Amino acid sequence: MTRVRYHWLKLCVRAALLFGRNQQATALFDELLLLAPGDAYTLASRGHMKAQLGDRPGAIADFRAVTIASPDRAEAWFNLGFLLEQEGAIDEAETVFRRAIALDERLDKAWYGLGLCLIRQHRFDDAVAALKRNTELQPMSPFGWYQLARVHVDRQQPEEAKKIIDHLKGFEPKVAAQLERETGLVSASAQA
């Protein structure tokens, strides 16, 4: 009977998510966890849902539980780090991002999150290294490039920032233009 109820609840969760009934889905995740406490997939799903609903402390608690239930899941460590960084727990977020990277050094978004933590701590040299690794792993994502340019501006390295603006013009011209507006820098190609 419990097994049948578990599968029925999973179907109900899918339906609730399909129809955008996020509160109902969260309640169904709660029921699923009563039947299968510590189920990492359900905890992570509920954590994502709580984050979407603005319950960051609840989402953090769920992702802490996921990292306990499945300590080798780099993605869970990343999600926990992201939420902690958003909550302002920068030192802990840095530690958690480093754990995610230790588990999967190719997890580009963990490098990005680490870079954000380091920026907030004014550890710009370390932030540059983390963001460069992020952009190596995810060369077409503007986020790492944007933050890297901002760090170069903070470090009084406008020529490096201009190179990034030029690079972004090739695939994200709106982000390049935003950087030019925010920094007052004109890209090297625009000066030529």
Side-chain angles (χ1 to χ4, degrees):
M1 183 67 166
T2 303
R3 190 177 192 169
V4 171
R5 176 141 178 83
Y6 179 81
H7 290 292
W8 172 251
L9 287 171
K10 284 182 91 172
L11 288 172
C12 291
V13 165
R14 287 187 188 123
L17 292 172
L18 180 67
F19 292 107
R21 296 184 177 188
N22 297 340
Q23 295 283 6
Q24 183 181 13
T26 301
L28 291 166
F29 285 133
D30 292 344
E31 286 189 55
L32 278 168
L33 287 167
L34 290 174
L35 296 173
D39 177 58
Y41 178 79
T42 303
L43 282 165
S45 298
R46 186 177 71 176
H48 284 293
M49 187 58 55
K50 285 181 178 180
Q52 287 178 356
L53 294 171
D55 179 8
R56 200 174 293 144
I60 288 170
D62 280 347
F63 280 106
R64 283 189 198 285
V66 173
T67 61
I68 291 167
S70 297
D72 294 335
R73 288 181 64 179
E75 190 74 28
W77 289 97
F78 162 77
N79 287 322
L80 177 58
F82 174 81
L83 291 163
L84 290 167
E85 191 268 335
Q86 293 290 305
E87 219 27 44
I90 303 306
D91 291 337
E92 186 179 2
E94 177 187 349
T95 300
V96 169
F97 283 130
R98 289 187 187 281
R99 175 73 175 134
I101 290 165
L103 290 168
D104 182 359
E105 67 180 30
R106 298 198 50 81
L107 188 59
D108 60 279
K109 55 192 174 184
W111 286 102
Y112 178 76
L114 177 60
L116 293 180
C117 288
L118 296 167
I119 289 169
R120 288 181 67 173
Q121 296 173 40
H122 301 283
R123 293 168 49 199
F124 298 126
D125 291 342
D126 294 334
V128 165
L131 292 168
K132 280 186 177 181
R133 183 66 178 134
N134 167 257
T135 59
E136 288 168 5
L137 293 168
Q138 189 58 266
M140 299 305 286
S141 174
F143 305 110
W145 290 111
Y146 173 87
Q147 292 298 335
L148 189 54
R150 297 297 311 193
V151 171
H152 284 308
V153 169
D154 290 342
R155 294 173 74 198
Q156 305 298 311
Q157 298 172 323
E159 294 308 313
E160 293 299 315
K162 287 178 185 180
K163 289 177 189 175
I164 292 170
I165 292 169
D166 274 341
H167 178 69
L168 283 168
K169 282 185 176 188
F171 67 98
E172 284 289 345
K174 289 181 181 180
V175 176
Q178 179 181 341
L179 274 168
E180 286 178 323
R181 281 191 308 275
E182 290 177 1
T183 64
L185 297 173
V186 179
S187 71
S189 64
Q191 291 177 333

